[in-house]
Amino acid sequence: MKDMFSIGELAGYQNISKQTLIFYDKIGLFKPAYVDPNNKYRYYTAQQIDYLDTILIMKEMGFSLGEIQNHMKNYTIDTSLITLRKQLTVLEDQIAHLQMIKNRLAHRCAQMENVKEFNERNHEVTVKEVPQKYLLCAEVDAPQSFGEISIATKKCFSQALRDNLPIFYQTGVIVPYEHILSGRYTEATVAFLPIEKTKKAKNIKLLPKGNVACIYHYGT
């Protein structure tokens, strides 16, 4: 049609699929200016391109289609500014979370590289000094077998994910000295995840700095 764009033309200009425009029409987010009653072809005006640009930009910014739809119904400069600043805070939180994950992955890679290097030295026991560490802890229920240890570890992971805690991708257990003396080497009373210092959790223990005996086992 004269001075109008077909759905295929508009999709090509915006680098989106025709199915996307059809879906936007069905949910009432972006409807065509005219639908041919005979063949049901959709047509759009040039003025609608700016409107679609706004939808696609907001989608790129991380807004859901529902949020975009509510915003587009009745927006002003003031409401737009409030909405965009709110989303800016959301994105900053997401960036911080991704940076935390990146740091954990880098730490994990470094740890695995150390393990690889250590294994090449025939599993020797070494003594090294380590800095203080913070541990996110969960008590292990009796009889303190591997099953109870696994459950306690999962509780720590669940808490860390729920509360967005800055954990490292490591796990560990605390076996009391008296258990070791009596040969009960696997009966741990506490499972833990190393964590950065934080005030977002109360079940954190401080492991003081000092010398530790280390050996690595590379299993299946």
Side-chain angles (χ1 to χ4, degrees):
M1 296 183 66
K2 186 178 180 181
D3 298 328
M4 300 190 80
F5 302 99
S6 69
I7 189 172
E9 289 173 327
L10 186 60
Y13 294 147
Q14 299 286 2
N15 196 30
I16 58 177
S17 67
K18 291 190 292 184
Q19 287 73 23
T20 297
L21 289 172
I22 292 172
F23 179 69
Y24 287 175
D25 180 12
K26 287 183 178 179
I27 65 174
L29 176 60
F30 182 70
K31 303 186 74 65
Y34 175 76
V35 178
D36 191 308
N38 298 316
N39 53 30
K40 305 302 181 183
Y41 286 176
R42 296 169 170 84
Y43 294 93
Y44 303 84
T45 65
Q47 289 78 11
Q48 287 184 286
I49 294 178
D50 288 341
Y51 191 93
L52 181 57
D53 280 339
T54 302
I55 292 174
L56 297 178
I57 289 170
M58 291 187 71
K59 188 171 182 292
E60 181 70 18
M61 290 176 177
F63 289 97
S64 68
L65 294 181
E67 290 171 330
I68 296 172
Q69 193 166 16
N70 289 332
H71 176 68
M72 298 296 283
K73 286 179 180 178
N74 183 23
Y75 66 90
T76 64
I77 291 179
D78 289 337
T79 59
S80 294
L81 185 58
I82 293 171
T83 300
L84 294 179
R85 288 199 177 280
K86 180 180 178 181
Q87 185 64 9
L88 185 61
T89 300
V90 171
L91 293 176
E92 288 172 345
D93 290 342
Q94 291 176 352
I95 291 171
H97 181 67
L98 289 174
Q99 185 62 50
M100 182 182 72
I101 294 176
K102 178 185 175 183
N103 293 341
R104 301 300 173 273
L105 286 174
H107 182 271
R108 185 61 171 167
C109 288
Q111 182 191 36
M112 294 176 72
E113 288 168 355
N114 289 336
V115 171
K116 182 179 178 182
E117 178 184 352
F118 195 92
N119 274 313
E120 293 172 353
R121 301 202 300 267
N122 298 320
H123 303 282
E124 63 189 25
V125 178
T126 62
V127 176
K128 65 179 181 180
E129 184 178 5
V130 296
Q132 70 176 16
K133 294 183 179 180
Y134 293 92
L135 309 176
L136 180 70
C137 299
E139 299 292 330
V140 178
D141 294 332
Q144 298 168 342
S145 66
F146 289 119
E148 286 76 28
I149 291 173
S150 179
I151 291 172
T153 301
K154 287 178 173 58
K155 287 180 179 179
C156 289
F157 274 116
S158 177
Q159 178 186 357
L161 291 174
R162 183 187 68 241
D163 298 335
N164 195 26
L165 300 176
I167 61 168
F168 294 96
Y169 296 142
Q170 297 173 269
T171 62
V173 295
I174 297 175
V175 180
Y177 186 53
E178 57 270 21
H179 286 196
I180 295 174
L181 292 179
S182 60
R184 296 150 57 199
Y185 308 112
T186 62
E187 292 184 21
T189 55
V190 174
F192 66 80
L193 310 179
I195 187 174
E196 289 184 359
K197 185 178 181 180
T198 178
K199 295 182 179 179
K200 297 172 67 175
K202 294 182 179 180
N203 52 321
I204 292 180
K205 295 181 181 292
L206 175 63
L207 182 68
K209 69 177 181 178
N211 293 327
V212 297
C214 296
I215 188 167
Y216 291 93
H217 168 66
Y218 182 79
T220 57

